Amino acid sequence: MKKARASLKKNITEYARIYGISVLAVASFAGSSARAQMVAAEPAPNLTAHMFDMGGLVTTGAVTAVGGAAGGGIVPWALIGGYTTKDQVGGTAFYTHVFLRNYQLATYGGLFALSNRVELSFAHQSFQLGSTGATLDGKIFNALGAPANTPESVLPHALRLDNVNINQDIIGIKVRLYGNAIYDQGTLIPQISVGYEYHHNENSSFTRAIGTRPSGSEYYIAATKVWLNGLFGHYTMVTATLDATNAIQNGLLGFGGVGPNGPKTGYHIEPEFAVGYWLNNNLVVGGEYRFMPHYQVVAPGNVPGYGPLGNALSKTSDWKDVYIAYFPVKYLSITLAYADLGTIASEKNQNGVYLSATSSF
Amino acid sequence: MPHYVKVKLKYIVLSALSVVTISLSPAASRASTSYYNAFGRKQGLNTVVGDFLNNVLADSRIKAYFTNANIPALHAALVTQFCMLEGGPCEFNENMKTVHQNLGVTDAAFNALAEDLQKSMVYHNIPLAAQNNLLAKLAPMEKGIVTK
């Protein structure tokens, strides 16, 4: 047993030396945290009751994406959060909790909106591994050929995952470049905004252990079109966003990845889509789809032992959700969603209920 | 998911959204007398506009704009304008920009007004599609009305 431990430690250290990374399994977690952002980080305009409020007509001001920006659950929209006009400031605060099959994602944050032009946002995400962390440790041992019952303490501290929370902070800025989604009617021209998000993963020893960077940047351009007299005469919204990112699971598993010749940090451009349909002035239903980039973590797939482990932890799925948002009043929204984040850190079918509340002021 | 499947999926999503977008575009120019009828024609519009103006004159955010307004004339003008916008047999030719140029209307005031109108339409149970059609016709006037 002692011998097995010593050899596992040696393996890990050696690999870390060769590839300049600390190995293991954590990579898959990161993926989930990235999407966690979806839950909390993007303060969306209030989806609900008065999406647009021509000053309050449409309940758009009170919904927030996980990244903190105004938007849906996982996709930032071109709308500026809150209900500000060109001579006002405002903001929103939100809390989102996602109950996945193996994990939970808790996110809180808020945004400041200036003159319906600029949105400054913040979100803190906590991706909770729970008892699945121990399962992941078992998978790591298994991949490294350690005998059953090998104690967790054999693993480097950064890879002891039982009940670990992976935390991420996201700050963002969004600027409306063109158009006004509410006032521009009778034309196909959308409201267009550009955004930037800086992500910082607090579990840097974990991200380094799986060969990813603890912080990264995302750049996006979003177009949102709202028809006040849309399908069957109801408010109807379509958003298309292009996101340049190297975040793995939205940054929960870090940024960049490993390549055959060392770290690989190249950006991927991924599209994101959202639709919303107002059943009445207080109730919005819709769906979102976010394509996710794929990065290899831990080690290249052809490295014996570590490669297969890396392949398993690297698996990333597109994020999607269907939601219903209720605006009891213009300044408050409660969103219930069913989110499907796919495979995160080798655990498949990470879907479940998403609950979120946003208040605007 | 294999890469080629993912790429294919991207195109499918894009095409589906294009279809939604294209099918929505005619909605913007839809005008039929059914909306006018949904308001209860001239008589229904009279009632909705009456309550709308009551809301406005009681709205501390915007009532100051109407201190010197001729309310009966404004009432008649709004009924005629809404009648035309909802596809009714009315002609309304006043230039919104000229009428509002000296009022210093802000976006916040414009929005508050729209809210007061919406409140009246909801109170009188005007069908949602007719409400939204009127709002969609009024919203683009923000460019001419708001000067501040």
Side-chain angles (χ1 to χ4, degrees):
Chain A
M1 185 65 220
K2 227 176 178 179
K3 204 173 166 189
R5 250 193 243 181
S7 114
L8 178 59
K9 266 190 179 163
K10 195 180 156 218
N11 274 351
I12 292 172
T13 317
E14 214 162 77
Y15 184 81
R17 189 173 54 77
I18 295 168
Y19 284 88
I21 62 170
S22 214
V23 186
L24 286 188
V26 193
S28 61
F29 300 120
S32 61
S33 65
R35 281 318 181 220
Q37 168 195 15
M38 136 187 173
V39 180
E42 309 176 14
N46 291 345
L47 266 190
T48 37
H50 297 272
M51 197 161 191
F52 298 108
D53 210 11
M54 277 181 328
L57 260 194
V58 184
T59 42
T60 53
V63 183
T64 306
V66 273
I74 54 178
V75 173
W77 301 352
L79 304 173
I80 300 297
Y83 292 111
T84 62
T85 63
K86 52 191 171 209
D87 20 67
Q88 295 171 323
V89 297
T92 66
F94 74 94
Y95 178 81
T96 301
H97 204 103
V98 188
F99 301 87
L100 299 170
R101 200 167 68 92
N102 291 84
Y103 315 110
Q104 294 190 39
L105 178 61
T107 307
Y108 64 83
L111 66 80
F112 264 107
L114 310 168
S115 308
N116 193 29
R117 174 65 67 186
V118 178
E119 174 188 294
L120 303 170
S121 60
F122 163 78
H124 176 83
Q125 302 178 337
S126 183
F127 187 65
Q128 302 161 0
L129 303 182
S131 60
T132 300
T135 310
L136 294 172
D137 282 339
K139 287 183 180 182
I140 296 169
F141 282 129
N142 198 31
L144 299 180
N149 306 322
T150 303
E152 196 189 32
S153 57
V154 167
L155 281 173
H157 193 73
L159 293 176
R160 296 179 207 163
L161 301 173
D162 192 20
N163 270 312
V164 159
N165 293 348
I166 297 175
N167 298 318
Q168 175 177 226
D169 297 305
I170 301 166
I171 53 171
I173 180 169
K174 186 199 288 181
V175 178
R176 178 171 63 88
L177 287 188
Y178 186 81
N180 183 304
I182 308 301
Y183 297 145
D184 294 342
Q185 299 295 318
T187 163
L188 277 178
I189 296 170
Q191 175 167 327
I192 295 170
S193 297
V194 291
Y196 168 81
E197 278 180 13
Y198 177 77
H199 294 228
H200 175 71
N201 191 312
E202 294 173 7
N203 301 55
S204 56
S205 57
F206 164 76
T207 70
R208 291 202 181 92
I210 62 168
T212 67
R213 297 180 175 193
S215 58
S217 295
E218 274 191 58
Y219 307 84
Y220 64 87
I221 179 164
T224 295
K225 179 67 201 160
V226 174
W227 290 266
L228 293 180
N229 55 347
L231 286 175
F232 305 109
H234 290 230
Y235 299 161
T236 306
M237 185 278 303
V238 173
T239 290
T241 299
L242 271 184
D243 186 25
T245 180
N246 64 352
I248 307 171
Q249 306 279 19
N250 203 30
L252 293 173
L253 296 193
F255 302 82
V258 296
N261 305 310
K264 191 179 167 192
T265 56
Y267 277 72
H268 284 245
I269 294 182
E270 302 288 347
E272 307 168 357
F273 303 98
V275 294
Y277 184 72
W278 276 250
L279 296 176
N280 56 43
N281 288 337
N282 306 91
L283 213 51
V284 189
V285 296
E288 300 180 287
Y289 198 103
R290 182 169 183 158
F291 289 92
M292 297 290 265
H294 183 271
Y295 286 91
Q296 181 78 6
V297 299
V298 180
N302 59 2
V303 174
Y306 299 98
L309 178 63
N311 290 343
L313 294 178
S314 301
K315 179 129 176 63
T316 305
S317 310
D318 296 333
W319 286 14
K320 48 255 182 201
D321 71 57
V322 290
Y323 67 83
I324 179 162
Y326 173 58
F327 287 77
V329 290
K330 194 172 90 176
Y331 296 101
L332 179 67
S333 74
I334 296 160
T335 305
L336 171 68
Y338 182 78
D340 178 1
L341 309 187
T343 300
I344 297 179
S346 82
E347 294 293 336
K348 293 176 183 165
N349 304 319
Q350 296 310 315
N351 44 46
V353 171
Y354 167 116
L355 272 173
S356 182
T358 297
S359 69
S360 62
F361 52 88
Chain B
M1 194 186 297
H3 181 66
Y4 65 92
V5 175
K6 203 173 160 175
V7 170
K8 207 171 163 189
L9 194 54
K10 285 185 191 182
Y11 283 111
I12 292 172
V13 174
L14 277 173
S15 319
L17 279 174
S18 312
V19 171
V20 171
T21 308
I22 290 163
S23 64
L24 277 169
S25 46
S29 55
R30 180 173 51 210
S32 88
T33 54
S34 65
Y35 292 137
Y36 173 66
N37 292 333
F39 264 88
R41 298 170 177 244
K42 250 325 191 340
Q43 198 183 347
L45 279 169
N46 250 315
T47 314
V48 170
V49 170
D51 268 343
F52 166 37
L53 285 173
N54 287 340
N55 292 342
V56 167
L57 296 175
D59 189 337
S60 57
R61 298 173 295 180
I62 52 175
K63 63 182 177 192
Y65 285 100
F66 298 88
T67 313
N68 299 316
N70 177 344
I71 300 300
L74 179 59
H75 186 139
L78 287 171
V79 168
T80 308
Q81 183 186 28
F82 292 180
C83 165
M84 184 194 72
L85 293 175
E86 292 293 77
C90 307
E91 279 294 327
F92 183 82
N93 296 316
E94 285 190 57
N95 184 308
M96 286 295 103
K97 192 165 183 171
T98 319
V99 173
H100 295 89
Q101 62 185 353
N102 298 319
L103 297 177
V105 178
T106 62
D107 259 339
F110 182 82
N111 290 344
L113 190 96
E115 226 176 299
D116 290 338
L117 168 61
Q118 194 178 38
K119 212 187 286 175
S120 175
M121 292 191 294
V122 169
Y123 180 77
H124 290 286
N125 294 314
I126 304 304
L128 199 58
Q131 286 186 34
N132 292 348
N133 183 66
L134 182 56
L135 295 175
K137 295 282 168 55
L138 294 172
M141 298 179 185
E142 184 265 352
K143 283 190 180 71
I145 291 173
V146 173
T147 51
K148 232 177 152 180

